[in-house]
Amino acid sequence: MLWYVVAFLSAILIDSIPVFAPPAWTVLVFFVVKFDLNVWIVALLGVVGTTIGRYILSVYMPLLGNKIFAPKENDNVKYIGEKLSRNGWGTFLFVLGYSLTPLSTTALFTAAGAAHVKPMRILPPFFIGKLISYTLLIHGGNYAAQNIADAWSEGPSLKSIVVAVLGIIVLGLLLLVDWRALFEHKTFKLNLNVFKFQKREEAEAKPASAKG
């Protein structure tokens, strides 16, 4: 019973932090293999945990974003979130499809939280998508249990590295692309000054250059 609770809490913790931690399903596979847990119970508990974790992320990420991101960048992220909140079935299908992939959903919930999208718009399709993908992934990991020890001892696999890189690219696109210009004016623009400290450095550099 204890390890089921630990697996559940681990899923919450991993998916409530805004960094690219190991995917929660890999940790759940570890618990299944190491402690001979029931795959179906772990999959269900893991999905409930990861859904709670992503909800927590969507709640506090806007507060964190206001402290570290420039005002223009916060508006950019909110704009994407507002797009998610307007299209009912389109949003449902998009979140469902995205949740079926192994890509990190940090960017998705960052945008949703910044725009104060109602949780019931994105959590149900996210839960369904993760329930399907986690069940398949955990069953597959359990089936390949004889290779798990080698995989962990050899370090990160090529697949895990590729997934992590793709996740970083997705989050980078969310933060760097000027989505308002793209959707409203059909113009592709990148904003490289996304953090507040960059704005301060830029403001301090202007007087210095003017004196020179």
Side-chain angles (χ1 to χ4, degrees), residues 58-120:
S58 70
V59 170
Y60 80 80
M61 191 59 188
L63 302 176
L64 182 63
N66 288 332
K67 295 182 179 298
I68 65 174
F69 294 135
K72 182 178 180 181
E73 187 55 38
N74 276 318
D75 290 341
N76 190 37
V77 174
K78 288 179 182 178
Y79 181 77
I80 292 298
E82 289 167 0
K83 284 287 185 180
L84 288 174
S85 66
R86 291 175 185 172
N87 194 346
W89 278 106
T91 296
F92 186 96
L93 294 175
F94 172 77
V95 175
L96 176 62
Y98 192 93
S99 300
L100 287 170
T101 74
L103 294 177
S104 170
T105 52
T106 299
L108 179 68
F109 280 89
T110 297
H116 301 288
V117 177
K118 293 181 179 179
M120 288 306 296

Side-chain angles (χ1 to χ4, degrees), residues 4 16 30 69 173 176:
Y4 287 107
S16 63
F30 171 78
F69 294 135
L173 288 175
L176 299 179

Side-chain angles (χ1 to χ4, degrees), residues 20 98 102-107 161-173:
F20 291 96
Y98 192 93
L103 294 177
S104 170
T105 52
T106 299
I161 294 173
V162 170
V163 169
V165 170
L166 287 176
I168 293 172
I169 291 173
V170 170
L171 184 59
L173 288 175

Side-chain angles (χ1 to χ4, degrees), residues 1 3 11 14 19 29 39 42 48 54 58 60-61 69 72 84 93 107 114-115 117 132 141 188 190 202:
M1 183 65 181
W3 292 113
I14 291 171
V19 297
V29 169
V39 174
V42 171
V48 173
R54 284 314 190 195
S58 70
Y60 80 80
M61 191 59 188
F69 294 135
K72 182 178 180 181
L84 288 174
L93 294 175
V117 177
I132 295 172
F188 182 80
L190 290 177
E202 187 177 304

